[in-house]
Amino acid sequence: MELEHVRDPSTSPVANRPNNDSFNDKHNSAASANGTNTTSRYELWAFYLYYVGNNGLAGFNFGPSQFQNLLYLAGYDPSQPPFTAPCGTGTGCVLPYLGKTRDINSIVLLTNGISFAIQAILMLAIGAWADYGQWRPYITIIFTLLAVAVSFAWIGVEDPSKWHIGVILYVLGLITYQGALAFWTAAFPGLTRDLPEVQGSVQEVQLGYKTPQDHSRFESLSRNRVSNVSFAVSSLGEIVILAIMVGILEAMKIGDSSENNTKAFSVLIAFSGGVWLLCALPWFLLEKRRPGLALAPGTSLLTIGFRQTYVAARECFRLKQTFLYLIFYFLMGDVLNTTVIFTKSPFSVVSYSTLQLTLLLVVGIVTQALGIYGFWLVQKAYKISTKKMLSFNFIWILVLTVWGLIRVHTDKFGFKNVWEIWLYQAFCGLMVCPWYAYSQTMISEVSPLPQRFLFFALFSVVIGKTSAFIGPLVSSAIITASGDNNTLFAFLFTLGTVSTMFLHFVDIEKSRAECDQFVAAEANREAFK
């Protein structure tokens, strides 16, 4: 907001309250680092538009579905001699993979684990570059271009015999998609802090018309607005993209043969990549190059990532509230990542039909837009804190694991019916998907302002990716050892329940005080300079 005129601070309703020197120091240093990079409306909408392209349809939806489709068509029924009977409804489905014959669900989970392990190591090395200099926008561009190239490469994989190539493209697709997403997300705190209305709120505190606490609540709501609107805009854009895809599928006559269906998967992945590139161009051009920190003496871009991770991990033990949220984020992210990966396997119920999967995605995206924006409208109307919204959200993630757990005791329910797949898509969109908005916003609530990229890297890239590969690896081992997919959900429900206790004890006000102490201490030690 703009201030119409400068009033006499002695007349302000908060003029006689405690001085705001620490607030001024913190925000003046941030303003000095960022210069005059006020977020424009065009830059903000370019940020939203990028997420329409980086929607996950290529690397996170159709890519994994094509991978599973190829495995299913190439696999065989384990009750028969190898490769003599194809996989079918109600039969097992296995393939030799990494020196052992494995269920295709185990193969998917294991491959995901390998992919996320590579991502964690890669981001340890380069994730810190988001904090230093002006590298982050260029890394986003590189990851985006590589992801688009992988999407186009799927055009050459249309036969089940090429499932080994599908493994490589699947892994590369996940790495490039998540890399681009991580560095795009890292722009979020600075973009929000530089909004005109947030800068205006800072001025009101400095002039004495608003308390720092009121500003913190206002900035928190602003972060939630940008986060939720970006998800809602992305969802609306995806609906348009999926509608076009339905037309493509009709033109390809996918119902005529499994060959047409498999080819259609690859075409949709390539189309998604093309859309992503078009939507990314405005962000590439309009994003302001906000300066980061200077490299510490004796460090280089090759070593700063590991040094930064060590410092962040060390300080998380002093930042008790941050550390509590870190544990929750790790465990609940593990539960959700593994559940989502596993529940994609019931899509074999619809025989990996590209049309059915596209229509399922339409349902999921429509309900996701309604869910995320609905959560935001409730939060905005009642001024609900980010922590309370996240606490309400994780209840429905646990419900998802209970849904899967029921399948242990019955063959009639638990991701085993076509109607459940449709219900699952709607349920996840309405109640589960807000996790992706609120869990990211919560990171900014418990992170020191000057080191925001560092902690985003620690949470989103390192901790997020570590949980994403440990969960699938453990789950794959459980399935392989027990020979039963169902026992996985007991592990996930228990893990999710334990994780909620850590979020319960997070105190946002204490976190802000700890972050202020951290910034002062690190300024004296010059650990981040």
Side-chain angles (χ1 to χ4, degrees):
M1 62 173 59
E2 294 185 0
L3 300 178
E4 295 181 359
H5 58 276
V6 177
R7 294 172 284 185
D8 180 356
S10 64
T11 66
S12 75
V14 296
N16 297 320
R17 296 187 185 183
N19 68 66
N20 299 323
D21 289 345
S22 62
F23 176 91
N24 293 337
D25 290 343
K26 178 169 64 176
H27 286 272
N28 286 339
S29 63
S32 175
N34 254 12
T36 57
N37 289 317
T38 301
T39 302
S40 69
R41 185 174 182 83
Y42 292 112
E43 184 186 15
L44 183 62
W45 275 95
F47 178 80
Y48 295 154
L49 184 61
Y50 179 90
Y51 201 29
V52 173
N54 186 7
N55 50 42
L57 287 178
F60 201 69
N61 286 294
F62 287 111
S65 295
Q66 174 70 313
F67 178 49
Q68 292 182 21
N69 176 53
L70 293 172
L71 293 178
Y72 181 79
L73 294 175
Y76 64 89
D77 183 350
S79 66
Q80 304 296 323
F83 298 105
T84 59
C87 302
T89 303
T91 70
C93 191
V94 299
L95 275 171
Y97 186 68
L98 298 181
K100 187 174 182 179
T101 299
R102 305 175 188 271
D103 183 274
I104 63 170
N105 290 324
S106 178
I107 292 174
V108 171
L109 289 169
L110 183 58
T111 306
N112 270 278
I114 294 171
S115 171
F116 288 132
I118 295 172
Q119 289 177 52
I121 295 171
L122 179 64
M123 293 305 172
L124 277 175
I126 70 171
W129 295 2
D131 270 324
Y132 295 90
Q134 296 179 327
W135 285 90
R136 185 192 48 72
Y138 302 105
I139 300 174
T140 304
I141 292 172
I142 291 171
F143 269 121
T144 302
L145 295 178
L146 290 175
V148 171
V150 171
S151 298
F152 290 154
W154 274 104
I155 289 292
V157 183
E158 299 175 353
D159 188 272
S161 64
K162 297 181 178 180
W163 70 272
H164 296 90
I165 300 176
V167 172
I168 297 172
L169 293 180
Y170 177 53
V171 171
L172 289 176
L174 286 176
I175 292 172
T176 53
Y177 161 68
Q178 295 286 0
L181 185 63
F183 280 93
W184 169 81
T185 302
F188 160 66
L191 193 78
T192 304
R193 190 201 59 231
D194 289 343
L195 288 169
E197 58 267 33
V198 175
Q199 292 180 332
S201 179
V202 170
Q203 293 179 35
E204 287 189 321
V205 176
Q206 293 172 335
L207 292 173
Y209 299 120
K210 180 184 285 188
T211 65
Q213 293 74 22
D214 288 338
H215 169 76
S216 294
R217 285 189 287 270
F218 178 78
E219 187 173 2
S220 175
L221 280 175
S222 297
R223 283 194 293 264
N224 279 284
R225 174 173 62 84
V226 172
S227 179
N228 284 290
V229 170
S230 69
F231 275 88
V233 170
S234 176
S235 299
L236 294 174
E238 281 185 78
I239 294 170
V240 175
I241 295 169
L242 289 169
I244 296 172
M245 286 181 170
V246 171
I248 293 173
L249 295 176
E250 290 294 332
M252 293 185 68
K253 302 185 183 303
I254 60 165
D256 290 354
S257 65
S258 62
E259 289 79 9
N260 286 0
N261 185 68
T262 302
K263 183 177 181 179
F265 268 122
S266 295
V267 170
L268 294 186
I269 296 171
F271 175 74
S272 299
V275 171
W276 184 356
L277 181 60
L278 289 176
C279 291
L281 291 177
W283 178 241
F284 293 166
L285 298 173
L286 295 175
E287 182 188 8
K288 291 182 172 64
R289 271 44 178 176
R290 294 172 173 85
L293 302 171
L295 285 173
T299 62
S300 69
L301 287 175
L302 295 178
T303 61
I304 191 62
F306 298 99
R307 169 190 165 91
Q308 187 193 50
T309 302
Y310 164 74
V311 172
R314 179 197 71 197
E315 296 306 329
C316 271
F317 288 98
R318 287 202 303 133
L319 298 169
K320 295 181 178 61
Q321 309 308 313
T322 307
F323 186 60
L324 286 172
Y325 182 65
L326 182 150
I327 298 174
F328 166 77
Y329 185 84
F330 175 86
L331 295 178
M332 188 59 77
D334 198 354
V335 171
L336 183 57
N337 284 328
T338 307
T339 302
V340 170
I341 290 168
F342 183 84
T343 50
K344 285 181 182 292
S345 63
F347 285 2
S348 60
V349 172
V350 292
S351 303
Y352 297 102
S353 162
T354 48
L355 180 59
Q356 290 282 0
L357 290 178
T358 302
L359 294 176
L360 282 167
L361 284 172
V362 170
V363 172
I365 299 305
V366 169
T367 53
Q368 173 182 291
L370 294 174
I372 290 175
Y373 202 68
F375 268 59
W376 160 242
L377 290 178
V378 171
Q379 181 184 22
K380 179 182 177 182
Y382 296 99
K383 303 294 190 293
I384 304 173
S385 69
T386 304
K387 178 186 172 182
K388 288 181 180 178
M389 295 300 295
L390 189 58
S391 298
F392 178 71
N393 172 246
F394 74 58
I395 293 173
W396 305 105
I397 298 176
L398 294 180
V399 169
L400 199 61
T401 65
V402 172
W403 187 349
L405 191 59
I406 294 174
R407 65 186 283 148
V408 176
H409 306 288
T410 178
D411 292 328
K412 298 180 179 179
F413 189 74
F415 306 121
K416 295 184 177 182
N417 305 285
V418 173
W419 64 265
E420 282 187 275
I421 305 302
W422 293 95
L423 181 59
Y424 161 80
Q425 285 292 93
F427 175 82
C428 280
L430 287 171
M431 309 307 299
V432 176
C433 283
W435 158 271
Y436 298 104
Y438 285 105
S439 64
Q440 293 294 313
T441 305
M442 188 69 178
I443 295 173
S444 63
E445 300 275 331
V446 296
S447 300
L449 180 63
Q451 287 81 34
R452 61 194 179 280
F453 290 148
L454 182 152
F455 284 89
F456 257 86
L458 180 67
F459 278 90
S460 299
V461 181
V462 180
I463 300 303
K465 297 306 166 237
T466 302
S467 72
F469 80 78
I470 288 179
L473 288 178
V474 172
S475 302
S476 176
I478 291 173
I479 292 174
T480 301
S482 66
D484 184 2
N485 294 332
N486 301 333
T487 55
L488 169 64
F489 286 100
F491 165 72
L492 295 175
F493 174 74
T494 302
L495 189 64
T497 302
V498 170
S499 74
T500 62
M501 294 186 294
F502 293 97
L503 180 64
H504 174 73
F505 290 110
V506 174
D507 187 311
I508 300 299
E509 292 302 322
K510 287 184 179 179
S511 177
R512 288 172 184 150
E514 290 174 357
C515 287
D516 288 342
Q517 294 170 5
F518 163 79
V519 171
E522 290 305 327
N524 293 332
R525 282 206 301 246
E526 298 186 339
F528 291 97
K529 292 185 178 179

